[in-house]
Amino acid sequence: QVQLVESGGGLVQAGGSLRLTCAASTRSFTPYYMAWFRQAPGKEREFVAGIIWSAGSTAHAESVKDRFTISRDNAKNMGFLQMNSLKPEDTAVYYCAARIAPATSKFDYWGPGTQVTVSS
């Protein structure tokens, strides 16, 4: 059973940066698609960014476009979310998720999440 683990969260002032990392427990694990989601207190979980692993094609939510960048390292089988110009409204638990099949919207694997707190 593959497990995903996020790291890199923390407390940062508004305008600062953080880089989140998503690592799989199995080094050989190669998803079809990997994404980052976030959930703030009292709010629903929302899509932040996603990447088609093999092609490197990306998509970002409008709320983070031009500030956040999703990427992956094929050699290390790691995914990343570079977050710049952070705002207090970016405060949330951030989750990475992966799916292995292209023709589905259901994610097969989720990490436990990492807290990102942006102070004003």
Side-chain angles (χ1 to χ4, degrees):
Q1 177 74 4
V2 175
Q3 294 179 329
L4 302 179
V5 178
E6 306 91 343
S7 61
L11 173 64
V12 64
Q13 287 189 332
S17 298
L18 285 173
R19 188 193 197 208
L20 304 184
T21 298
C22 178
S25 58
T26 302
R27 191 67 184 266
S28 61
F29 175 67
T30 302
Y32 170 77
Y33 188 78
M34 196 205 79
W36 289 92
F37 291 81
R38 68 185 181 185
Q39 186 166 21
K43 295 188 177 181
E44 292 188 355
R45 185 171 60 195
E46 64 173 351
F47 171 84
V48 175
I51 185 166
I52 297 176
W53 197 266
S54 59
S57 305
T58 63
H60 297 78
E62 281 298 322
S63 59
V64 305
K65 199 169 287 186
D66 298 327
R67 298 189 299 122
F68 292 10
T69 303
I70 188 171
S71 63
R72 82 317 187 211
D73 184 323
N74 272 328
K76 296 181 179 179
N77 259 17
M78 285 184 173
F80 307 99
L81 184 68
Q82 178 66 43
M83 306 187 295
N84 299 328
S85 302
L86 282 160
K87 305 175 181 180
E89 51 263 44
D90 295 318
T91 295
V93 178
Y94 284 71
Y95 302 90
C96 72
R99 64 175 190 250
I100 57 177
T104 177
S105 60
K106 180 181 179 297
F107 285 85
D108 303 290
Y109 305 103
W110 289 85
T114 186
Q115 176 71 45
V116 171
T117 303
V118 185
S119 63
S120 57

